[in-house]
Amino acid sequence: MRTLVTRLWTRLVGLIGSLGAWVRRHPVIPAHRLTQVAGLALLVLLAIGSGTTLMLDRIEAIPAGAAFRVDGTLVTESQLSDRVKLLGALYGVTPPTDPAKLDQFRRDSAKAVVVSDVLADASRAKGIVIADKTANDQLTQLIETTFPQGRDVFLRKLAGVGVTQEAVLGEVKAQLANARLYDQVTNGVPVPTDQDVEHAYQQHKAEMAVPEKRHLRNIVVAGQDQATRIRAQLAGGADFGAVAGQSSMDDSTKGKGGDLGTVTRDQLDKNYGDAAFTAAPNSVFGPVQTQNGWNVGQVLEVTPAVPLSLGQVREQLRASVLDQRKTDAWDTWLSGQLRTAHARYADAYRPADPDSATPGPNAGSS
């Protein structure tokens, strides 16, 4: 099971286009905002009937070279770029090359950073402090589990793209603080009763099963024409294992006749999985294109899905329902925080729904 920190980060990254957070009580208005709020309220009263929204937009206009303003702090395009660069170095977040997707990425990146800043303000307001040692220990653990070359190599690679160790530790501290904030916000969420769990089971009964598994063999080649010729060879009676040994580009399986072992559908590339799990037992399927090339596969054996009883999944389902309740409580709280922060975006960075805790279906549109 993923750690809380990982789940939170996934939600925050989800705000960056197709990226999924380490994100998580009552609206907080820092002291320096109180006079601003009072002043704006007075302006609203004076401007009733004469274009209030337009007047506020002009008063809070975002200057050239800036991406957004949140809680009175202006973030420039350069500062936003640095934050996105850090995400890229740590989590593989990279801007797309397609112009339409790049526009969405830019808007969702700005929103993700706004969310991060709003959460940092909320953590400070609640007195959440992460010690240097705690952050260092967490970073060491992350490196050991995801970067086998070691910490020194990791830090050198970061330095090569202009990211400092201090920036990395700052990010780790922020995510650990968000995890503690999440715990505080969701602390009062009620644990599901047995009746709640049974209701959830009935709603999702079709999904309560050990998934179907299939034993597969595969041949992968560079081009579609070659894959089509291989499919014809196999249809003519050629031995799959022998053809795999001669032709497949997958060095990890060609010596085993292309044997992929027994897998579930979600372990496979979507296109390949769709073909493999709709093919008849003992049949050959393909060609199917994946990121690795063109594939011709064979179904050797099918292990059907096995339904699970309520007794078998009760506690796992209870945990799942509780997790969803916490997520809903968190999203409601976070949306309130975003409304209170009153972020103002430059036109090119404004997301479709600035106050939503999660990306909307039209994220990136203006």
Side-chain angles (χ1 to χ4, degrees):
M1 181 179 292
R2 292 181 297 170
T3 65
L4 175 60
V5 169
T6 301
R7 286 189 285 114
L8 289 173
W9 173 248
T10 299
R11 291 186 64 73
L12 182 56
V13 168
L15 291 169
I16 307 179
S18 299
L19 308 174
W22 292 2
V23 287
R24 296 199 206 218
R25 177 164 105 114
H26 299 298
V28 177
I29 302 178
H32 70 274
R33 286 274 291 158
L34 294 178
T35 54
Q36 295 176 11
V37 171
L40 289 176
L42 177 59
L43 287 170
V44 169
L45 290 174
L46 293 174
I48 288 176
S50 60
T52 300
T53 302
L54 178 60
M55 180 177 286
L56 292 180
D57 283 342
R58 287 175 178 170
I59 291 169
E60 297 193 4
I62 305 300
F68 60 84
R69 178 189 287 114
V70 59
D71 271 338
T73 299
L74 195 69
V75 174
T76 67
E77 293 177 310
S78 176
Q79 289 169 325
L80 175 60
S81 177
D82 288 343
R83 297 280 286 274
V84 173
K85 183 190 297 183
L86 175 59
L87 300 184
L90 290 177
Y91 311 110
V93 176
T94 55
T97 56
D98 178 80
K101 292 181 179 179
L102 182 60
D103 178 71
Q104 178 174 327
F105 178 89
R106 182 173 58 247
R107 297 174 189 273
D108 291 338
S109 296
K111 182 175 178 179
V113 174
V114 167
V115 169
S116 178
D117 289 348
V118 167
L119 292 175
D121 284 344
S123 293
R124 283 191 292 268
K126 291 181 176 294
I128 296 173
V129 177
I130 305 299
D132 289 345
K133 183 179 185 307
T134 302
N136 263 304
D137 290 347
Q138 179 69 32
L139 178 58
T140 297
Q141 180 181 337
L142 290 171
I143 292 172
E144 288 176 350
T145 56
T146 62
F147 203 84
Q149 296 95 321
R151 186 184 183 111
D152 290 342
V153 176
F154 174 76
L155 293 175
R156 283 200 299 271
K157 285 185 175 294
L158 290 182
V161 293
V163 176
T164 66
Q165 180 173 343
E166 289 73 18
V168 175
L169 287 173
E171 181 65 25
V172 172
K173 283 186 177 184
Q175 306 316 330
L176 291 172
N178 290 344
R180 292 188 188 179
L181 185 61
Y182 179 91
D183 287 339
Q184 291 187 25
V185 170
T186 63
N187 185 49
V189 173
V191 175
T193 64
D194 286 345
Q195 185 177 2
D196 294 331
V197 174
E198 184 171 355
H199 178 69
Y201 177 79
Q202 295 301 330
Q203 282 188 311
H204 302 281
K205 192 171 183 178
E207 306 162 30
M208 299 293 121
V210 176
E212 176 184 329
K213 298 179 181 179
R214 293 193 168 206
H215 186 184
L216 304 174
R217 293 198 289 189
N218 187 61
I219 299 168
V220 58
V221 294
Q224 183 177 11
D225 290 345
Q226 185 182 3
T228 301
R229 288 195 298 271
I230 287 173
R231 174 70 186 266
Q233 285 181 260
L234 298 172
D239 179 74
F240 193 101
V243 176
Q246 294 167 359
S247 304
S248 182
M249 300 189 304
D250 186 352
D251 292 334
S252 65
T253 63
K254 65 183 299 181
K256 301 181 293 183
D259 197 336
L260 293 178
T262 301
V263 296
T264 59
R265 189 173 189 151
D266 62 5
Q267 291 178 278
L268 303 169
D269 173 274
K270 184 183 185 306
N271 291 338
Y272 187 87
D274 289 346
F277 276 73
T278 53
N282 302 311
S283 69
V284 173
F285 61 90
V288 182
Q289 187 178 22
T290 67
Q291 62 180 357
N292 298 313
W294 285 87
N295 301 263
V296 177
Q298 182 182 35
V299 181
L300 296 179
E301 184 181 6
V302 176
T303 303
V306 179
L308 296 170
S309 69
L310 175 58
Q312 289 176 294
V313 300
R314 185 186 302 276
E315 295 313 311
Q316 295 96 319
L317 192 52
R318 192 190 308 277
S320 178
V321 173
L322 178 59
D323 188 62
Q324 186 59 53
R325 288 181 175 182
K326 288 185 174 184
T327 296
D328 292 344
W330 171 256
D331 287 350
T332 299
W333 173 86
L334 180 54
S335 291
Q337 294 293 300
L338 291 171
R339 287 192 295 272
T340 300
H342 192 59
R344 311 291 292 187
Y345 295 87
D347 288 344
Y349 292 90
R350 185 179 297 113
D353 189 351
D355 295 338
S356 171
T358 56
N362 299 315
S365 64
S366 56

